[in-house]
Amino acid sequence: MKIQLNILTLDGEAQEVTCIVPDFVAWERHSKRKISDLVSGIAMEDLAFLGHCALKRQGEQIKPFDGWINSIAEIELVDLDPKVTK
């Protein structure tokens, strides 16, 4: 399973990230929910947390989540692996 996100910061920097298994496991630990819960809907915080995890995993030097989220203008779900909806 994977999803692709476009993230736009308030200063106009655009980043594209792909969220994979380690990011979903971090999300499950953080949210205390199962990945199958995403089938019923993905909240903005879910997308933001997954994007933050993916950026950290890729070695980006970013602020902790609560500080980082204040610098984000937009997060767009670009591609959803079809296995999520089954």
Side-chain angles (χ1 to χ4, degrees):
M1 179 173 142
K2 64 182 177 180
I3 62 171
Q4 189 175 343
L5 302 173
N6 280 340
I7 300 171
L8 179 65
T9 64
L10 290 172
D11 63 5
E13 181 184 346
Q15 295 178 291
E16 187 172 288
V17 296
T18 300
C19 304
I20 59 173
V21 171
D23 309 314
F24 292 110
V25 170
W27 175 84
E28 285 182 332
R29 290 176 178 171
H30 168 79
S31 68
K32 306 291 189 236
R33 295 167 45 204
K34 296 178 190 174
I35 200 66
S36 60
D37 292 345
L38 291 179
V39 172
S40 63
I42 301 175
M44 185 57 66
E45 184 178 9
D46 298 329
L47 293 177
F49 190 84
L50 287 167
H52 185 263
C53 287
L55 289 169
K56 280 181 24 180
R57 179 181 43 76
Q58 293 173 4
E60 294 284 331
Q61 297 297 316
I62 57 176
K63 295 178 182 178
F65 181 74
D66 288 332
W68 174 80
I69 195 66
N70 290 320
S71 70
I72 302 303
E74 184 177 316
I75 297 177
E76 177 184 16
L77 180 60
V78 177
D79 188 28
L80 179 64
D81 186 330
K83 295 175 194 147
V84 174
T85 58
K86 290 184 180 178

